Every structure is written in structure tokens, then in C-alpha cells.
Amino acid sequence: MTTTRLAAVAENFGRDLDHAYATIDRVLRQADGADLVAFPEACLGGYLSSLGSAQDRGTATSRRDRSGPPPLRLDGPELRRVQQLAGDTVVVLGICEDGGTDLYNTAVALTGDGILGHHRKVHQPLGENLSYAAGSTFDAFDTPVGRIGLQICYDKAFPEAARAAALDGAEVVVSISAWPGSRTAASGDLAQDRWKKRFDLYDQARALENQVVWVAANQAGTFGSLRYVGSAKVVGPGGEVLADTGVEAGIAVADVDVAAELAAARRAMFALRDRRPDAYGPIVAPNTHALRQEVPALA
């Protein structure tokens, strides 16, 4: 029996990088020897302070002309500093990536030895495309804790995203977010917020339908006009929540024998094996004109 200690973090991260490093250091010390620690989207530099408005945004052709998170390079000193904190732990965190010609909302997996892999957010909600260019893949990659896939926030709303990583051999999918509560009909009790409930449903459904271990980190607290739902969690391949922070800041930690859990979940009904791609046609076809039509932005 080989167990892997997986930790999903709900914490508040803003523009202050020194505060972010201190929080990362504290959490890694508190994670009690975790083999993998997932921090939220926009961990270094914070997220956009408002979605659906002009604030923090430039134009589609000049994404650098806005007062958003600081652009960071994958080979820059900011991530090297996190590597020094990480040591042997696999750390996943989110940055605004300086991609040279454009900016990306990026998840990075690293250890003290270097960067293991990264993912650029593909699905962009509520005008995020005016701040970031979109990624285009959901590739898995090998790490000291096994083969993992990465995704960011709204990516989890699309079953094809997690399925693509699972088909590429991901045993663990790490989904990092800056997922807020609802902006309309918001609940005074964040635990009852409808966007919080969606966040939880997506996490459990994606783990279950792909029979993978799911590690979901999220921002907590507030930033600009956003009130985050927290709810970092580890979900088993049967869709069961193994650890959860609730809506407050905290660390959800679970010890998982990943190989044994996946084998048990896939023994009788193995969803990836039993797929029928020949029957799915339109699911992987380009969007039709009707689907590309603008619809009202509802929150």
C-alpha cells in the first residue's frame, strides 16, 4: 500500500507577492508532509478584481494595458522562489504568465528541482478573454506523485476538459480556481450560495465520470467585487469527498492510495474503456453558428 498525501488549499491571495510567499511557506509547513499541495488560481499576484466590467481590463489587442496581476515568466525569479519553498513537495499554483507576445492565466506544477508542467486556461468566462489569451490543450504529465492533469476554474464546467486529461493518462486532476459566489440572488450564507453548490457538483461529477482523484483548490475571502466560495477539497474516483475546507480558508488533506483507489473504481465499470466515440459525433465537432451566438451574461 502506497499512500499519497494530497492537500487542497483555500486561501486569499491578492497583489502582494511577499504576502503570497509568506502564505505559501506557512501552508506548506501546515500541510503535514503533503506530497502534493494545490494552491488557488492567481496565487501569485491575485485575480482580476472584477469580471463583466471594464475594470482591470485592456482591449483584446492590448491585454498588457490594464492594472491587473503582474505578468510573471515561467523561468522568472518569482517561481524560483516558490521552488525554494517547495523542496520535494509537488506544488501547483496559479500565475498571470508572461508568454512573450501575450498573457495567459496559467497553472504551474513544480518542485524544488524545477517546473514539471503547466496549463494555460482554455475556457474564459465573462470577458476574461480581454485580459488573457486562451490555452488550447489539456495534456497530462508525469510527476513524483504520478501522472497529473491541470485545469483552471471555468475549465471544470466542461466535461471534455477533464476527459481529455484522463484519456492522456491523468490519475490525479488538479483544478485550481478563483471561483466566486453568485452576483445575482446571492445568499447571505455562502455555504448555501448557488455558485458554491455548482462548484461542488462539478468537482464530484468530474472525479466520478472519469474515475480519477480530483484535487480542487480555490481562493477564499474577498478581492475587489468578488466573494470567493473557498470549498477546497479532495474527491475520490467514486465521487466521494475525502476532505473539504468548507467556505472558510483552510487546507483539505487526504491520504490516498491512488493506484488502489483507481483500480477499485474501475474494476467493474471502467468509463474510459467503455466509451463509444463513434456515437458522440457532434460533441467533438466545432461549435455551430447557433452556439456561437451571443447570449445574455447571467451570473
Side-chain angles (χ1 to χ4, degrees):
M1 177 176 175
T2 303
T3 61
T4 302
R5 179 157 291 182
L6 304 170
V9 178
E11 277 287 351
N12 185 263
F13 290 91
R15 296 282 185 262
D16 189 333
L17 293 182
D18 286 334
H19 183 267
Y21 299 135
T23 301
I24 292 169
D25 184 44
R26 172 177 56 79
V27 168
L28 289 174
R29 294 174 187 277
Q30 292 175 338
D32 197 19
D35 301 292
L36 181 147
V37 179
F39 289 91
E41 175 184 9
C43 178
L44 293 183
Y47 187 55
L48 307 176
S49 59
S50 179
L51 283 176
S53 74
Q55 187 175 353
D56 261 357
R57 292 195 268 140
T59 67
T61 57
S62 183
R63 294 185 178 95
R64 293 178 182 273
D65 297 336
R66 62 20 166 188
S67 57
L72 308 178
R73 293 186 58 85
L74 294 179
D75 59 357
E78 298 85 5
L79 286 178
R80 285 199 296 272
R81 183 162 176 182
V82 178
Q83 288 174 228
Q84 293 171 356
L85 298 173
D88 294 333
T89 303
V90 176
V91 170
V92 178
L93 76 167
I95 66 169
C96 169
E97 180 197 348
D98 183 348
T101 59
D102 225 325
L103 303 180
Y104 297 91
N105 187 340
T106 297
V108 181
L110 56 80
T111 67
D113 292 330
I115 292 177
L116 303 169
H118 70 281
H119 164 72
R120 291 169 170 172
K121 187 174 181 179
V122 173
H123 300 97
Q124 299 177 306
L126 301 173
E128 191 179 282
N129 63 301
L130 298 179
S131 292
Y132 296 110
S136 59
T137 64
F138 291 97
D139 300 326
F141 52 92
D142 295 323
T143 78
V145 297
R147 193 162 177 83
I148 72 171
L150 301 177
Q151 58 174 237
I152 302 175
C153 207
Y154 191 40
D155 286 337
K156 78 171 66 186
F158 297 84
E160 301 90 343
R163 178 55 53 88
L167 289 173
D168 198 26
E171 302 162 303
V172 176
V173 174
V174 181
S175 177
I176 66 174
S177 298
W179 192 285
S182 176
R183 297 186 304 164
T184 59
S187 173
D189 180 0
L190 193 55
Q192 300 303 315
D193 187 272
R194 60 196 180 104
W195 276 27
K196 192 269 189 200
K197 293 179 179 180
R198 293 177 190 178
F199 185 85
D200 294 339
L201 283 170
Y202 285 138
D203 287 338
Q204 291 181 262
R206 299 298 167 252
L208 175 60
E209 67 196 5
N210 293 291
Q211 296 169 306
V212 296
V213 177
W214 190 267
V215 181
N218 194 29
Q219 292 265 5
T222 62
F223 184 71
S225 65
L226 303 176
R227 179 180 65 153
Y228 299 119
V229 303
S231 303
K233 64 179 72 63
V234 180
V235 185
E240 66 282 4
V241 177
L242 305 177
D244 190 341
T245 65
V247 297
E248 304 298 331
I251 312 170
V253 179
D255 292 320
V256 183
D257 185 333
V258 175
E261 290 286 337
L262 266 58
R266 298 172 174 182
R267 185 170 295 121
M269 293 185 291
F270 184 9
L272 301 181
R273 178 197 63 204
D274 298 336
R275 294 169 64 246
R276 285 287 308 279
D278 56 301
Y280 305 151
I283 292 177
V284 294
N287 286 343
T288 66
H289 174 71
L291 287 174
R292 288 197 298 267
Q293 291 178 352
E294 291 295 324
V295 294
L298 299 178

